[in-house]
């Protein structure tokens, strides 16, 4: 991996060979030409800051402990990565869907379907977040079709899996601190879905991508925002679908310095919970460079069906919701690993 910066991919004039190469070798890149309106982004960040500045009681009125679907507000220190406390507060926003009742035991991921929780004190946040998600989804689907082409498959190879996707938008704020509570904003991890589009607030710092040297030594690359660009990385689903040819890369967020903070908008584009990405028939040349698929970050099984990965991740990350609504799911064999 280059020691200084990440490559830039232009979605408006997409070079599929460059897209394939960078996500085979690195798994991360800057994206321009994505089509997300900058004014919309600015308005959403402003609304997010208005929400995070509310009194604690107003934010906790929509805490995710009130949602069996893992939607709503997570207080600072309320989420876990690799079992350790993350130091951020956030809103989790998915598609506006009706809850499914009763839950079919063969489809446990259906607990993730449901309505969002919105702050009454910042009513504009709902419209802004849903429109930003829509534009981010459009960009992500264009990338998905680009990956299909880059791997020698038809552009519509993944279309069926994404016909009714289940994306997730996090609106996150990282408050600065002195490191005495935890040394992570978000701990090191890979993303469980198909791909992530991240808008980091301009001039923010702390986002890092793991690097691997020629002798297998690891380090961390500091990734600074570029105005008007998104940061993009693939998730474990695309790694599974390509036999490890495309690379889901470990990354993390360090907490800002004491007295500062940062807001970011990570958007996770995923297929429908009940969908599995089809396996790409790689050419012999590409297949020879596929590293294979190992376990997830916890040593457990990576499932082809997205809903199992998503539910397993949510159960681990939000123990307050799990304990209140879903303790029974922890006994399901597919969700133990």
């Amino acid at each position: 991996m280059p020691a200084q910066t990440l490559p830039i991919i232009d979605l408006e004039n997409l070079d599929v060979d460059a897209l394939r190469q960078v996500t085979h070798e690195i798994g991360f890149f800057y994206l321009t030409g994505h089509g997300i309106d900058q004014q919309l982004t600015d308005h959403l960040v402003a609304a997010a800051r208005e929400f995070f500045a509310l009194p604690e009681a107003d934010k906790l009125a929509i805490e995710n402990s009130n949602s069996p679907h893992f939607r709503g507000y997570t207080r600072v220190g309320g989420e876990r990565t690799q079992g350790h406390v993350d130091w951020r507060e956030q809103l989790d926003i998915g598609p506006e869907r009706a809850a499914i009742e009763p839950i079919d035991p063969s489809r446990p991921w259906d607990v993730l379907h449901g309505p969002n929780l919105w702050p009454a004190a910042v009513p504009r946040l709902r419209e802004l977040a849903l429109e930003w998600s829509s534009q981010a989804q459009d960009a992500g689907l264009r990338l998905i079709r680009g990956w299909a082409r880059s791997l020698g498959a038809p552009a519509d190879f993944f279309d069926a899996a994404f016909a009714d996707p289940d994306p997730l938008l996090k609106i996150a704020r990282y408050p600065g601190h002195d490191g005495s509570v935890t040394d992570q904003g978000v701990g090191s991890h890979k993303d469980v879905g198909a791909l992530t589009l991240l808008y980091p607030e301009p001039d923010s710092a702390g986002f890092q991508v793991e690097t691997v040297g020629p002798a297998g030594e690891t380090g961390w690359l500091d990734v600074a925002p570029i105005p008007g660009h998104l940061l993009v990385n693939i998730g474990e689903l695309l790694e599974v679908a390509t036999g490890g040819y495309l690379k889901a890369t470990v990354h993390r967020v360090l907490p800002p310095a004491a007295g500062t903070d940062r807001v970011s908008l990570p958007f996770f584009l995923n297929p429908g919970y009940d969908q599995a990405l089809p396996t790409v028939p790689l050419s012999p040349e590409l297949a020879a460079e596929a590293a294979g698929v190992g376990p997830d970050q916890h040593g457990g099984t990576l499932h082809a069906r997205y809903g199992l990965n998503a539910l397993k991740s949510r159960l681990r990350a939000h123990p307050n919701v799990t304990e209140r609504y879903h303790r029974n799911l922890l006994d399901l064999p597919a969700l133990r690993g």
Side-chain angles (χ1 to χ4, degrees):
M1 176 184 288
Q4 292 81 25
T5 187
L6 298 175
I8 296 175
I9 296 291
D10 185 349
L11 185 54
E12 194 169 7
N13 300 287
L14 185 59
D15 181 336
V16 294
D17 290 332
L19 178 67
R20 183 188 66 249
Q21 180 179 359
V22 70
T23 44
H24 169 60
E25 297 179 352
I26 302 173
F28 265 89
F29 57 90
Y30 291 105
L31 184 69
T32 188
H34 47 72
I36 300 177
D37 181 75
Q38 185 61 49
Q39 187 176 57
L40 171 66
T41 301
D42 294 342
H43 288 327
L44 178 55
V45 170
R49 285 200 165 276
E50 184 179 345
F51 168 72
F52 290 127
L54 290 173
E56 189 77 358
D58 289 353
K59 293 186 286 188
L60 293 178
I62 59 166
E63 189 175 23
N64 64 354
S65 58
N66 298 309
S67 169
H69 321 295
F70 296 87
R71 305 292 178 84
Y73 174 70
T74 300
R75 67 180 76 194
V76 174
E79 188 173 19
R80 303 289 187 274
T81 298
Q82 300 293 323
H84 300 291
V85 173
D86 290 330
W87 206 250
R88 67 176 175 183
E89 56 180 336
Q90 66 189 34
L91 272 175
D92 280 12
I93 299 163
E96 288 281 21
R97 304 188 190 275
I100 295 176
E101 294 180 349
I103 297 298
D104 181 341
S106 68
R107 297 172 53 90
W109 54 81
D110 279 342
V111 302
L112 300 175
H113 291 298
N116 293 300
L117 302 181
W118 300 104
V122 192
R124 66 193 177 108
L125 185 61
R126 182 183 190 276
E127 180 180 357
L128 291 168
L130 293 178
E131 177 58 25
W132 200 90
S133 294
S134 177
Q135 293 189 19
Q137 179 171 302
D138 288 346
L141 291 175
R142 290 163 62 196
L143 277 171
I144 290 289
R145 292 174 70 88
W147 268 304
R149 291 167 49 214
S150 79
L151 296 165
D156 63 357
F157 185 78
F158 296 114
D159 280 9
F162 288 91
D164 189 19
D166 279 299
L168 178 70
L169 169 65
K170 286 182 180 286
I171 300 176
R173 173 182 171 268
Y174 298 85
H177 65 86
D178 60 7
S180 60
V181 178
T182 177
D183 60 358
Q184 66 186 41
V186 173
S188 60
H189 66 284
K190 298 179 181 180
D191 293 340
V192 300
L195 75 148
T196 304
L197 297 95
L198 169 68
Y199 176 79
E201 201 169 24
D203 300 320
S204 60
F207 191 88
Q208 295 185 323
V209 172
E210 187 179 60
T211 63
V212 181
E217 69 277 16
T218 60
W220 292 101
L221 173 68
D222 291 306
V223 179
I226 298 178
H229 292 57
L230 301 176
L231 278 170
V232 178
N233 64 284
I234 73 161
E236 291 173 322
L237 280 188
L238 278 176
E239 188 171 290
V240 171
T242 61
Y245 179 81
L246 296 184
K247 180 180 180 181
T249 301
V250 174
H251 52 286
R252 68 183 183 183
V253 181
L254 301 180
T260 68
D261 68 352
R262 62 173 287 180
V263 169
S264 65
L265 307 174
F267 176 81
F268 305 91
L269 179 59
N270 310 302
Y273 289 129
D274 60 349
Q275 296 294 312
L277 293 189
T279 301
V280 180
L282 297 176
S283 69
E285 293 78 13
L286 298 186
E289 297 184 32
V293 179
D296 68 13
Q297 287 282 84
H298 297 263
T301 302
L302 278 173
H303 301 282
R305 192 176 308 279
Y306 170 60
L308 288 172
N309 296 318
L311 180 56
K312 184 166 60 172
S313 175
R314 305 298 269 173
L315 291 170
R316 289 169 173 163
H318 298 282
N320 59 322
V321 179
T322 302
E323 285 295 316
R324 184 168 184 179
Y325 300 104
H326 303 305
R327 292 185 67 183
N328 62 308
L329 295 180
L330 298 176
D331 295 327
L332 294 177
L335 300 176
R336 288 178 186 164

